[in-house]
Amino acid sequence: MASHHQSLRDRQIASIERILNLNHDPTQNVESHHDPAAANGLIPQSTPILNSDGDPIWKILVFDNLGRDVISSVLRVNDLRGWGVTIHLNIKSPRHPIPDVPVLYLLEPTPTNLQLITSDLSHNLYSPAYINFLSSIPRPLLEDFASQTAAAGTAEGIAQVFDQYLNFIVGEPDLFSLGMGKETYWTMNSAQTKDEELDAVVDRVLSGLFSVVVTMGTIPIIRCPRGGAAEMISAKLDRKLRDHILNSKDNLFSPSHQRPTSTASTPSSRPVLIVLDRNVDLIPMLSHSWTYQSLVHDVLKMHLNRITVETPIDETNPAKGSAKRAYDLNSNDFFWTRNAGVPFPQVAEDIDAELTRYKEDANDITRKTGASSIEDLQNDTSASAQHLKAAITLLPELRERKATLDMHMNIATALLKGIKDRQLDNFFQIEENVTKQTKAQILELLNDEGKGKEPLDKLRLFIIWFLSTEQDVSRIEMERFEEALKTAGADTTALAYIKSVREITRMTMMTSAPTQLPSTSTNPTNELFRGFSSISNRLTDRLASGALGANFENLISGVKNFLPENKDLTVTKITESLMDPGSASSGAIAKTEGYLYFDPRSANARGTMPPPSQLRNHQQAPTGGASIPGGLGSLGPGTGASFGQRRQGFSEAVVFTVGGGSMDEYGNLQDWAKRTSAGHESRGGGVRRRVVYGSTEIVNAEDFVLGELSRLGREMG
């Protein structure tokens, strides 16, 4: 029987818990391992280290901004409490002395942070100090820190110094970003970027990817297209991994550090790391999606799994107005875990089903105990002891479920309002078949004042059509499109840059027809329109009465209800051609035929290091055509893959895009992995595919267009 698969999130949590346990391996708490309270983060699933008296060691956690983002994306305050952390503070915030209390530092190894640590210790703020760097501290910085420590006489206050390789943020079980901000695409493609700034970005990506590889515990095969940032980063990562293996006897990939599931070092048992430039396909950064997590990211501006939603102060009295509430969406949320990648109509249906199930469970408990409601149970002493004990045991889980469902009902209400105001269902439906749209149809849509309240949605749709269409657009026609967009209120600055990259992205994009899956439905129309009808016709008492129910009904009316077609995006097709070449299309195989092959464990499959003089050459199109303004040049011949290497299959992959990532791509990759795994298993193949998706930053369409494409367009204007 196969061992339980640990996701990237699981591995990062284990590493953070070890840090919180003063870098001791936690003892598994067998009793709480299957406890619902443990799963909800109410108690730790492992036992924290104890002092000589057998009591937990209470400690303070101090982090910088990246350390905060790394921890907050996977752990909650309750989890920190379970590991003995009483206070958590930012290193740059005003802090007061708490003598003789241990402090855990989790931060980047920067000169500023090192000076602040030395200042803390010299002022006796805390003692002792357990210093954990998110990435490997460079030798010159370490020597400088040692000099500061000696000069300040604070050596006795330092208990540990560790490199932790955790400088990446995990948003979902198999989704990560390097937290590099929303300007990386501009930096990589702008002619104004200085060489030292470019080097800093590449080094940061290199450090983050090295940390991801260390956390996964296995050295991957690296594949990338020729030229550009992807080749530069792949070649440098290959060299960094080789140097680490050669220069360290007990390296991070030696048997003592290996993950339990790693049983061999043959290429087939190792993952493949696919490094891609963002320009391989810009459309997912702009598209309107219909899945729950993509809509939340686009409409509600989710950042680090946190969103802000306006909810009514009093559901029975709308006149009292609304208040903003912040919600965290993470893997402890059963509804989010199950529905994040699901089309929104099905999510609406599931909310209704879960609310009905909750009501039935609550009624069942109250009926057995004789109480009139769940709230009365805690004050009721007349119920039989046996039934009362069972009810009290179930109460925390029921309350947690109710709070989760209330939260998702508020989120769904906010999404429906955004969908209706901006007519996102119409934009999504058009984008599903955007290549079939004529110039006249697109121009008519741009001129239609009734198509949504947000001009940016029209700009996004036009850019998607412009990058996808095979039709030639003349200068006069382009001026008409731009005029229509300006009249609608859109900022067209980005189009100057889009025009310059159109030919290059069209060469690397792979359009795909919908994947035809077996269907048991005999009436496709009814299947498309089944989601919203259930929630509008079978609302629970909470929704059917009061202002929220009425608002929900009004929002639903007029919103199109359909399920998206199953089609693979360009990045998914590239991944399929490298993971499962036997099933990939001939077009996808042809696109990846020339991808470079790096095996850091092999003496043969190695690439050439990029010479510094070539870092600023223009990035060439795959066929040697036009160059991307400000792009990175080809870095030498690298290493081509042999026929056997090109046809080599993988069951696990890490896909990384340089310059920004998309929730659409993440969801599309997960759908492909589930679909192909199910297909292989049904045929007796037993292959279960897993894909981890990462980028320099997960960026929503508004930030990408207005913050990066427009900036590049201004530079060209």
Side-chain angles (χ1 to χ4, degrees), residues 440-460:
Q441 287 173 318
I442 294 294
L443 190 60
E444 181 184 357
L445 186 145
L446 299 182
N447 285 318
D448 188 345
E449 295 180 1
K451 292 295 183 184
K453 298 179 180 179
E454 178 54 65
L456 180 62
D457 291 320
K458 291 185 177 181
L459 177 62
R460 287 163 60 180

Side-chain angles (χ1 to χ4, degrees), residues 179-257:
M180 293 177 61
K182 299 174 181 178
E183 294 186 345
T184 310
Y185 182 81
W186 171 82
T187 303
M188 304 298 283
N189 291 278
S190 171
Q192 296 183 6
T193 305
K194 298 177 182 177
D195 287 354
E196 52 270 23
E197 294 172 340
L198 198 58
D199 290 342
V201 170
V202 171
D203 289 344
R204 174 66 182 89
V205 173
L206 181 65
S207 173
L209 281 179
F210 185 82
S211 294
V212 170
V213 170
V214 168
T215 302
M216 294 187 70
T218 302
I219 294 179
I221 305 296
I222 305 171
R223 302 296 305 272
C224 71
R226 293 182 182 273
E231 181 181 348
M232 183 198 311
I233 291 165
S234 299
K236 287 194 169 188
L237 181 60
D238 174 65
R239 176 61 60 89
K240 186 178 179 75
L241 288 167
R242 287 175 186 277
D243 290 347
H244 178 75
I245 296 169
L246 291 173
N247 298 333
S248 307
K249 290 183 180 179
D250 184 25
N251 64 68
L252 296 165
F253 304 96
S254 60
S256 61
H257 292 276

Side-chain angles (χ1 to χ4, degrees), residues 502-621:
R502 181 185 186 218
E503 292 305 318
I504 296 162
T505 54
R506 283 174 65 188
M507 291 175 188
T508 54
M509 280 168 46
M510 296 181 223
T511 56
S512 70
T515 304
Q516 299 299 323
L517 298 179
S519 175
T520 56
S521 174
T522 56
N523 191 334
T525 305
N526 290 340
E527 181 71 14
L528 291 179
F529 287 85
R530 65 188 176 86
F532 282 128
S533 61
S534 70
I535 196 167
S536 60
N537 296 332
R538 297 188 292 108
L539 295 174
T540 59
D541 291 347
R542 175 179 180 276
L543 294 174
S545 61
L548 182 58
N551 289 341
F552 213 78
E553 290 280 3
N554 292 333
L555 288 167
I556 290 168
S557 62
V559 174
K560 291 185 180 178
N561 179 4
F562 43 76
L563 304 181
E565 298 173 322
N566 292 289
K567 62 179 182 180
D568 294 332
L569 300 176
T570 296
V571 168
T572 303
K573 285 189 161 295
I574 290 171
T575 303
E576 181 181 38
S577 69
L578 296 175
M579 286 187 74
D580 188 15
S583 302
S585 67
S586 57
I589 292 289
K591 294 280 188 182
T592 59
E593 195 81 1
Y595 273 37
L596 299 178
Y597 184 101
F598 299 87
D599 182 357
R601 284 196 180 277
S602 168
N604 299 320
R606 62 186 303 170
T608 56
M609 282 299 291
S613 61
Q614 292 191 18
L615 294 186
R616 294 316 308 265
N617 291 346
H618 286 335
Q619 180 175 338
Q620 298 297 319

Side-chain angles (χ1 to χ4, degrees), residues 477-489:
E477 289 170 330
M478 193 67 184
E479 288 175 355
R480 286 180 189 153
F481 285 127
E482 290 187 38
E483 187 60 34
L485 285 166
K486 288 176 182 176
T487 302

